[in-house]
């Protein structure tokens, strides 16, 4: 089975796709249609059932003003419910939604190894590989340090788990 994935809004121009026509064309070709609604959710009214859409995905951090960690949304037409499977648990579907794993400890361990990183709740690790480094070799060395630390799991040292105040 083929699937067609389209965004209903071109983020560069703001052009709105003709969802009804494109959905019909996909179905006529024997394909399912999956619409990406992240540039329209909350601002463009639409009737996904009425349009015959099979699946759609979106987000709430843009125009619904959900902020960081806000849930995404997935639409599955009722005719697909018996066959569709959702392997992702998402934020609120997780058994322990505020268990951010080892992210903090990983960033602390990388800093100890000389690679500057930043940890933000909920579980976001950021590594400023540029512009902190000025030469190609600096970037290459930083990636090598990160890879080595990941292989050795250096963050499992209890010293990296303890939260410290940054000054």
């Amino acid at each position: 089975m083929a699937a067609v994935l389209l965004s209903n809004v071109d983020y560069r121009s703001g052009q709105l796709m003709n969802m009804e026509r494109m959905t019909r064309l996909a179905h006529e070709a024997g394909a399912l249609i999956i619409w990406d609604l992240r540039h329209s959710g909350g601002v463009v009214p639409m009737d996904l059932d009425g349009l015959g859409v099979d699946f759609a995905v979106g987000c709430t951090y843009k125009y619904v003003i959900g902020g960081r960690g806000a849930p995404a949304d997935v639409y599955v037409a009722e005719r697909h419910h018996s066959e569709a499977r959702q392997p992702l648990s998402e934020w609120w579907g997780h058994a322990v939604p505020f268990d951010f794993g080892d992210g903090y400890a990983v960033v602390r361990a990388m800093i100890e190894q000389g690679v500057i990183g930043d940890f933000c709740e909920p579980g976001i690790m950021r590594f400023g590989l540029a512009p902190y480094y000025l030469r190609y070799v600096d970037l290459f060395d930083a990636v090598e340090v990160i890879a080595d630390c990941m292989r050795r799991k250096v963050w499992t040292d209890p010293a990296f788990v303890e939260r410290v105040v940054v000054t």
Side-chain angles (χ1 to χ4, degrees), residues 33-166:
I33 187 85
I34 306 166
W35 283 100
D36 174 350
L37 307 177
R38 73 190 143 169
H39 297 291
S40 59
V43 294
V44 177
M46 63 193 74
D47 176 9
L48 299 178
D49 287 328
L51 293 170
V53 170
D54 295 296
F55 303 95
V57 295
C59 62
T60 59
Y61 72 88
K62 282 183 165 265
Y63 304 115
V64 182
I65 316 298
R68 205 171 6 185
D73 48 83
V74 176
Y75 166 85
V76 178
E78 190 170 344
R79 64 186 175 280
H80 298 300
H81 284 192
S82 64
E83 298 295 321
R85 299 289 175 264
Q86 169 56 290
L88 305 175
S89 63
E90 66 93 8
W91 180 270
W92 294 110
H94 193 276
V96 188
F98 295 101
D99 178 4
F100 302 123
D102 298 321
Y104 179 83
V106 170
V107 171
R108 291 255 337 262
M110 295 302 112
I111 292 171
E112 184 76 19
Q113 302 295 314
V115 176
I116 305 303
D118 178 41
F119 179 78
C120 290
E121 304 291 3
I124 298 170
M125 295 183 290
R126 299 181 293 189
F127 295 97
L129 299 181
Y132 295 131
Y133 302 96
L134 302 176
R135 304 173 301 156
Y136 167 79
V137 69
D138 295 326
L139 178 60
F140 181 82
D141 290 347
V143 171
E144 285 294 312
V145 168
I146 291 171
D148 178 60
C149 289
M150 291 293 143
R151 279 191 295 276
R152 293 186 298 121
K153 298 186 179 192
V154 297
W155 66 89
T156 59
D157 181 327
F160 297 128
V161 176
E162 180 185 342
R163 301 279 175 135
V164 296
V165 176
V166 178

